[in-house]
Amino acid sequence: MANNGQTDTAELVAMLSKCTTVNVRLALVADAQQWQLHHGQVTFDDDTPVTERAWCYRTANFLELRLPGPTVAALLRGDEQDIHGLHVVAPGSPPSSASTSRLRGRQKWDRVTTPWPRTEWTINQDANTLQPGHDLLVGDGPSFLNFDQALSAFLHQRPHDSNAGRSDLWRIVQPQRAGWLEQITVGPDLLTAVVDGEALDGVVLELSWAAGNERQSVDGAGTYRFALRHGLAHDSLLMLRRGEQWLDWRHFPAPTYGRARDASVVWEQPGPELELLLANGEGKHLECKQEVPEGDSRKKMLKTIAAFASQDGGTVLIGVRDDLQIVGLPEKPTVDKQELQVVGMIRDSVEPAPPYESRVIDHDGKKVLAIEVSGGSQMYAYRDRDSQRPEFYVRVGPNTVPARHHEIAAGFRQTPTVSTF
């Protein structure tokens, strides 16, 4: 199965028709005497009990319930359906295909991860999709300022980002629980992998690197070990596979360049992780600073953080020289105070607040502060304290440069890829 591609919508309809029931979340908008689908989420093969919810308002309804597969298939096909006492219609004719993505375990997409891999299909809205108004929502559910805030709370249980929108009409998820990597522990001379799954017959666990590979047969859920005679090689790949089909995998270094940290990967000694991060040198996703910067150097770091967030993420390492020599943070002020100083800089100068984590890495007794910035779904601005004028930047190789008009416009138009079950 390809990692990305297209699936015929008729195939999805057939798959749903064969399901007795599926878990569903629906967002509906009032349209004359009926309700039009604005967004639907469906999960195959999920026996998790659903606590049914219904937030009902004069102009919108948000439903979470378990429905017969054929009912959802008919709605996907474009047929009108009666759901929870409401007459529901889909906007226009469904497109002929859905975008398909196959995700490894613990891979974050939008705001959610799952321990096991999954396949996700998305169908985007079109010109026929009824757009909600911006009125206050007051009714049987919690009160909200507008539809977008209610939808974000219903799906994510968190506040809505006013700069992010939704473009998907359907999101359909199928968990892949045949086998997955529950936890990987990386030590200086040993990699330990905990494997779990529901169908592990004929499965192999493989560790590959540029100079070779090792394989072990998997005889069931449990713990498997690889000796690392020279430590974990840069760009190593750990894969759970059956024949030519992968079940789950991890690539190292992990996490790479500021993307959300993988909770399933534990580094017994963070030093090797830092060395892997530095292996490629400064570039599009990595910036090094010898100490907490001041003056123009501070501005450059903050502009770089805004650029990382506006694109696909990156890491700023403080305590590392430009020549990649690890010198560590100075002893005074304390490391905690230096970290708070950097956090304050980001809070005061980058808008909106960028998605990042700060942490201290101990390398042979030297402390390095890592600012790991995740790629956002919009443009983030550096705001100069004197002029208060927002400035937008992008990363080109190892350089941070002003964004061009078309890059800024594209950044404000883009919307996050939805993945929120």
Side-chain angles (χ1 to χ4, degrees), residues 23-25 39-44 46 64 109 111-114 118 120 155-156 171-173 418-421:
N23 293 346
V24 178
R25 293 174 181 173
H39 175 70
Q41 295 188 352
V42 182
T43 304
F44 285 112
D46 190 351
E64 181 171 12
W109 200 15
R111 304 182 182 186
V112 168
T113 63
T114 57
R118 61 197 190 274
E120 305 214 358
L155 298 179
H156 309 303
R171 173 180 170 264
I172 301 171
V173 181
V418 177
S419 174
T420 32
F421 262 76

Side-chain angles (χ1 to χ4, degrees), residues 53 55-57 62 134-155 157-160:
R53 292 186 294 161
W55 294 358
C56 302
Y57 309 93
F62 303 90
H134 299 284
D135 298 333
L136 285 164
L137 293 186
V138 182
D140 292 343
S143 299
F144 292 97
L145 284 174
N146 53 50
F147 179 93
D148 287 344
Q149 285 198 355
L151 181 60
S152 184
F154 191 79
L155 298 179
Q157 291 80 53
R158 66 182 68 191
H160 171 64

Side-chain angles (χ1 to χ4, degrees), residues 356-408:
Y356 78 96
E357 293 182 9
S358 65
R359 65 188 180 107
V360 176
I361 299 175
D362 191 334
H363 185 275
D364 293 336
K366 298 174 183 177
K367 307 291 186 182
V368 174
L369 176 60
I371 307 298
E372 299 175 319
V373 186
S374 299
S377 57
Q378 62 183 82
M379 293 296 289
Y380 291 78
Y382 164 74
R383 188 178 290 276
D384 186 273
R385 288 183 296 179
D386 298 325
S387 68
Q388 290 299 303
R389 179 170 56 88
E391 302 171 8
F392 299 93
Y393 293 87
V394 295
R395 194 75 168 169
V396 179
N399 302 309
T400 298
V401 300
R404 291 172 289 186
H405 290 300
H406 73 87
E407 292 171 324
I408 297 172

Side-chain angles (χ1 to χ4, degrees), residues 332-348:
K332 293 183 179 179
T334 65
V335 171
D336 288 345
K337 287 185 178 179
Q338 293 180 72
E339 184 175 9
L340 287 173
Q341 185 181 358
V342 174
V343 169
M345 293 178 192
I346 298 171
R347 181 186 63 240
D348 295 341

